[in-house]
Amino acid sequence: SINRRLAEMNGAPEDEHIGRTPREMISTLYPRVEPYIQRALRGEATQDVEFSRAIGDPGAARTILCSYQPALDEAGEVIGVSVAVVDITERKQAEETLRESENHFRHLVELNPDILWVMDADGNNVDVSSRWTQITGLTKEQTRNLGWLEALHPDDVEPTMKALQEGLRSEKAIDLQYRERSIYREWRWMRSRGSPRVGLAGKIVRWYGSMEDVHERRELEEALAKSLV
């Protein structure tokens, strides 16, 4: 027996399947499914096996998920194979689209000249672009939570944390400036700005932001201020 949907997947009416073998009806796919049919005939079930095959229009590849169960009689003897087939093409396409979107986003992040970062609702770092490692020498793992403070000038740690905590408390955008130690052991002024993302419950779930090097700009501003005194 076979239902109409599976018959349509195989490209032939239901009645044309009756009395014929899987090898005859799905000759192209059969070499790949035969091992699972043989296992089922030996009493072994196989769940969720993915195959890619053409269904309908020639060349229209679809992804199907198959399960093979031994069909038993009242005495528990194997008398056949029960096959369940689900077309999961749309799901696989959605997963691929999401994966491509994530890869696209990650590519943009890594090529961005600024340092992009993500914090949790409590202000702990959960992600940072690789440019941070290139500049500071700290790995992403070393940067997690409050590890990024290791790269700050000792005199800037306390005011930075105070400003950060105020931003977390007020749930407003943050705009900080501090000196950061580079891999060349020099201190450079950085500007870090970020905004919260609020979830469905109305609470902050993440902070997203970026850091930019403002060292030259800061030095020019300070030199200009001194010249006006």
Side-chain angles (χ1 to χ4, degrees):
S1 66
I2 186 171
N3 68 3
R4 185 176 63 184
R5 177 60 181 140
L6 183 52
E8 290 173 349
M9 287 184 179
N10 291 342
E14 297 168 68
D15 57 359
E16 289 188 16
H17 286 75
I18 305 305
R20 301 180 68 182
T21 66
R23 187 192 299 274
E24 294 176 285
M25 301 309 300
I26 52 172
S27 57
T28 302
L29 184 63
Y30 185 72
R32 288 186 285 163
V33 305
E34 182 182 18
Y36 304 105
I37 293 176
Q38 295 298 331
R39 288 181 190 175
L41 289 173
R42 294 194 298 268
E44 179 184 346
T46 305
Q47 302 286 343
D48 301 335
V49 183
E50 281 189 23
F51 297 107
S52 178
R53 63 171 298 194
I55 295 177
D57 297 333
R62 309 288 294 182
T63 303
I64 57 175
L65 194 67
C66 303
S67 295
Y68 302 85
Q69 299 275 354
L72 309 177
D73 62 12
E74 295 180 354
E77 296 292 328
V78 177
I79 58 173
V81 180
S82 175
V83 182
V85 181
V86 181
D87 188 336
I88 60 170
T89 305
E90 282 70 26
R91 189 182 82 189
K92 296 294 290 186
Q93 290 174 341
E95 291 173 352
E96 181 60 30
T97 298
L98 178 60
R99 184 160 45 249
E100 179 61 28
S101 177
E102 291 174 344
N103 290 337
H104 176 70
F105 174 74
R106 176 57 62 183
H107 191 63
L108 290 176
V109 166
E110 298 304 335
L111 290 179
N112 196 309
D114 293 340
I115 299 171
L116 305 186
W117 52 260
V118 182
M119 297 191 306
D120 65 16
D122 298 320
N124 296 305
N125 177 272
V126 295
D127 196 12
V128 67
S129 63
S130 60
R131 183 155 177 76
W132 165 267
T133 298
Q134 296 169 5
I135 293 176
T136 67
L138 293 177
T139 66
K140 290 188 177 184
E141 190 60 37
Q142 291 172 321
T143 304
R144 293 194 190 285
N145 300 322
L146 296 178
W148 59 276
L149 293 173
E150 292 295 322
L152 269 60
H153 192 287
D155 295 342
D156 296 338
V157 173
E158 184 176 347
T160 296
M161 283 303 301
K162 183 177 180 180
L164 176 60
Q165 289 168 357
E166 174 59 26
L168 294 174
R169 185 193 64 77
S170 65
E171 300 185 348
K172 295 180 179 179
I174 57 176
D175 191 340
L176 314 173
Q177 290 195 33
Y178 45 73
R179 286 163 291 183
E180 183 180 278
R181 184 178 64 248
S182 74
I183 57 175
Y184 303 108
R185 314 305 294 178
E186 63 176 351
W187 296 103
R188 298 189 64 83
W189 281 100
M190 305 293 290
R191 184 182 185 185
S192 183
R193 290 174 287 182
S195 299
R197 179 170 70 85
V198 179
L200 296 177
K203 295 184 178 298
I204 292 177
V205 292
R206 283 287 189 271
W207 286 77
Y208 296 90
S210 65
M211 281 182 282
E212 61 174 322
D213 189 321
V214 295
H215 191 76
E216 281 74 18
R217 185 194 313 168
R218 179 102 179 196
E219 286 189 331
L220 287 174
E221 291 173 350
E222 292 178 354
L224 178 60
K226 289 179 181 179
S227 68
L228 296 177
V229 174

